[in-house]
Amino acid sequence: MKRLIALFIVLIMTAALFAGCGGGGNKVIRVWVGEESVEFYQKICNEYVAAHEDFGYTVEVKGMDTGAVAGTISNDPTAAADIYTVAHDNIGKLASTQCAKPIGDQSLIDQVLADNPESFRKVIYSTLNGTEYLYGVPYISQALFLYYNKALVTEEQAKSFEGLREAARAAGTKAVTVTGDDGFNMSFALLATKVSDHSTTVKIYEGAESVSGGSKGTSNCQGDDTIAIMRWLQDYAADENGFKWASPDGWDADLDKSNKGVLAVIGGAWHYNTAKAALGETNLGIALIPTFTLTEKAVEGLSGVSAGDVYRGGTFADCKCFMINASSDKNKYAKEQELIKFMSSKESQNRSYVECLNVPAYAGASSYIEQCYNEGKVTESQYNLAAMQVSMAEWGIPQPFVTGTLNSYYYSKNAPSVFRAIIDKTAYPTTGDTILAETESLAGIRKALYLAEYLWMHGTVPKEFPQSLPSHD
């Protein structure tokens, strides 16, 4: 659809849609950011207000759980901040439920389009009355990578899951865990790609439309490469020195150097302080999500994959964005965009990295990250955290949930439980048919993957399963 970004058009639409929203005319602009970033953004906003006498507002910054804030906003947007932070996959939901205003300031739009990589530019729009508008302004990037215990794992061993298993055997422990069994954390397996050419048959809502009720696009998780990866992970999890789910005490207790329950964890930048507390700065290693090599058992009976094929674990490579609350006083609209332009600028993102370890979202940020390390502004582990996260973007995709419905179908309709059942080789009953009783068989895994894909696309289980698989109905 055509993207109408001219300021006067968006202003007209905004006035028509949000007249009477919010209220008050108070002289405070409230901003919500991640809890770890409050002090920094309050400081730079104070600096901005002091340097711009004509700004006309004071700024109050509050910390929120950015993973849960979209639900808070949806429940009562009138109680939410004027400017809030969400992960980009919430943009469609918030825009379609009139919890957000589109961006209309042409200079801000130009900055967003000039600074951000194409992958982020594709996921920050949503459709309003048949027209696509810019809603989210990226300012932090995030991706999964590997934390590991340098006291027990060499840098070379950390490069592959086989190497981690070797280190785990020597230590008498498990190799690696994850921070959760949800659809985000398990993207390391689902989004794994072949090292030689980055290939995968996996598709998740490819070509979906951001308008509510529009096309859900195309999905596929039934390819032979996906089956081979599931088989590989089944065996790796069954190995006494392979993969494990986090214990009831938490992944950090497993990782703790005194417990030696596990040698590595796949996590994100938001886990850095916890991982450092578990291992200590000296022992904290950070690396790309490792590679793994398909075995004869993993590829038996499959085409298009071969024993010896090397894959690297994948990730959702996302951005956190500023958005404007639809219930905010319309008189603040211009100044809100002015403030967002400042807070999301390259200069502010760079300062946020040095002071808060928020990894910048703009294209080419790796050069600044390296410069900071060379100048001694960040420690080695802080540098590696950012460098590995930026590098993992090459092995991932942004979460493609352009509407709230797709977000719900992917995360909340039990597809993650199906994937866990495959890995654990346990039954997953649905509609009177225990479909995963035979997960060690090729047919059983195919049936399970069909179910997961069906849940992605329909949000419910099928009434019956096709006679022949794969099937994409």
Side-chain angles (χ1 to χ4, degrees):
M1 297 181 183
K2 184 178 180 181
R3 293 174 175 169
L4 299 180
I5 59 176
L7 174 58
F8 76 95
I9 295 178
V10 177
L11 286 171
I12 291 171
M13 295 295 295
T14 302
L17 282 168
F18 305 112
C21 286
N26 64 74
K27 304 303 289 183
V28 178
I29 293 178
R30 295 180 300 148
V31 179
W32 283 355
V33 298
E35 293 170 343
E36 72 286 349
S37 304
V38 175
E39 185 176 348
F40 169 76
Y41 282 100
Q42 185 67 71
K43 179 179 70 175
I44 67 167
C45 286
N46 289 346
E47 293 173 358
Y48 186 82
V49 171
H52 297 78
E53 295 181 359
D54 61 343
F55 187 71
Y57 292 88
T58 58
V59 179
E60 292 181 357
V61 181
K62 180 180 178 181
M64 298 290 287
D65 177 357
T66 55
V69 72
T72 302
I73 297 164
S74 297
N75 289 336
D76 185 7
T78 63
D82 300 294
I83 298 170
Y84 53 76
T85 297
V86 293
H88 79 264
D89 58 297
N90 291 291
I91 290 175
K93 174 171 64 177
L94 293 169
S96 64
T97 55
Q98 296 191 10
C99 292
K101 294 179 185 178
I103 300 299
D105 185 303
Q106 189 62 52
S107 64
L108 174 54
I109 293 170
D110 291 343
Q111 177 176 290
V112 170
L113 298 180
D115 289 355
N116 287 281
E118 182 181 1
S119 59
F120 289 169
R121 296 198 303 268
K122 288 180 177 179
V123 296
I124 55 178
Y125 285 82
S126 190
T127 300
L128 178 67
N129 293 341
T131 302
E132 215 169 22
Y133 294 97
L134 176 66
Y135 277 89
V137 179
Y139 75 108
I140 297 174
S141 67
Q142 55 185 20
L144 295 173
F145 48 86
L146 186 79
Y147 294 104
Y148 68 94
N149 187 340
K150 291 199 297 185
L152 300 173
V153 182
T154 67
E155 184 177 343
E156 186 64 27
Q157 287 174 321
K159 292 179 180 178
S160 70
F161 282 96
E162 292 81 9
L164 289 174
R165 180 171 55 194
E166 176 185 70
R169 283 176 179 163
T173 185
K174 281 279 193 175
V176 63
T177 188
V178 286
T179 62
D181 60 1
D182 54 272
F184 182 88
N185 285 289
M186 293 309 296
S187 67
F188 89 89
L190 180 65
L191 298 179
T193 55
K194 195 172 181 181
V195 169
S196 61
D197 60 6
H198 287 252
S199 62
T200 177
T201 62
V202 170
K203 297 179 181 179
I204 307 176
Y205 306 125
E206 189 172 289
E209 297 175 351
S210 59
V211 60
S212 180
S215 168
K216 294 190 288 289
T218 301
S219 293
N220 176 34
C221 67
Q222 299 178 62
D224 282 2
D225 54 345
T226 305
I227 294 173
I229 291 167
M230 292 295 107
R231 282 172 154 181
W232 168 83
L233 188 52
Q234 282 181 333
D235 288 345
Y236 198 72
D239 193 302
E240 64 180 358
N241 302 115
F243 172 83
K244 76 181 293 289
W245 302 106
S247 70
D249 291 331
W251 63 268
D252 51 326
D254 295 330
L255 186 65
D256 191 284
K257 57 182 178 294
S258 62
N259 295 334
K260 296 182 180 178
V262 70
L263 298 184
V265 60
I266 296 170
W270 52 100
H271 299 120
Y272 173 77
N273 288 331
T274 305
K276 185 172 70 171
L279 293 176
E281 175 80 25
T282 302
N283 293 332
L284 181 60
I286 300 176
L288 297 176
I289 296 179
T291 64
F292 57 89
T293 302
L294 295 182
T295 62
E296 291 282 357
K297 182 179 178 182
V299 303
E300 182 180 357
L302 302 175
S303 60
V305 288
S306 303
D309 286 348
V310 179
Y311 284 73
R312 183 179 299 283
T315 181
F316 283 124
D318 297 332
C319 56
K320 289 185 179 180
C321 300
F322 287 123
M323 297 182 70
I324 298 175
N325 190 343
S327 294
S328 177
D329 185 341
K330 63 183 179 181
N331 294 316
K332 299 179 182 178
Y333 184 52
K335 293 300 182 181
E336 288 165 344
Q337 294 175 96
E338 180 182 329
L339 187 63
I340 289 174
K341 183 180 178 183
F342 164 72
M343 292 191 296
S344 64
S345 66
K346 288 183 180 180
E347 293 75 18
S348 293
Q349 290 188 45
N350 287 344
R351 289 182 63 183
S352 179
Y353 167 61
V354 173
E355 297 188 36
C356 303
L357 294 183
N358 289 326
V359 179
Y362 68 83
S366 56
S367 296
Y368 179 76
I369 291 168
E370 184 173 5
Q371 177 187 330
C372 288
Y373 177 60
N374 292 336
E375 294 176 353
K377 294 180 179 179
V378 294
T379 66
E380 181 178 0
S381 66
Q382 291 169 339
Y383 164 72
N384 286 334
L385 175 147
M388 292 304 105
Q389 181 171 300
V390 170
S391 296
M392 275 307 303
E394 180 184 351
W395 300 92
I397 62 170
Q399 293 182 72
F401 315 120
V402 293
T403 68
T405 296
L406 301 186
N407 186 299
S408 174
Y409 283 6
Y410 180 84
Y411 283 114
S412 305
K413 299 300 181 180
N414 292 331
S417 298
V418 175
F419 283 111
R420 175 155 184 169
I422 296 172
I423 295 163
D424 291 344
K425 303 179 184 177
T426 55
Y428 182 84
T430 175
T431 322
D433 182 3
T434 305
I435 66 145
L436 297 183
E438 72 282 24
T439 47
E440 293 195 56
S441 73
L442 177 59
I445 296 174
R446 284 197 187 280
K447 196 172 183 181
L449 292 177
Y450 169 82
L451 174 61
E453 183 183 311
Y454 195 93
L455 288 166
W456 287 355
M457 297 301 289
H458 303 283
T460 186
V461 297
K463 293 181 179 179
E464 59 183 21
F465 288 84
Q467 294 297 312
S468 177
L469 293 172
S471 176
H472 304 284
D473 59 356

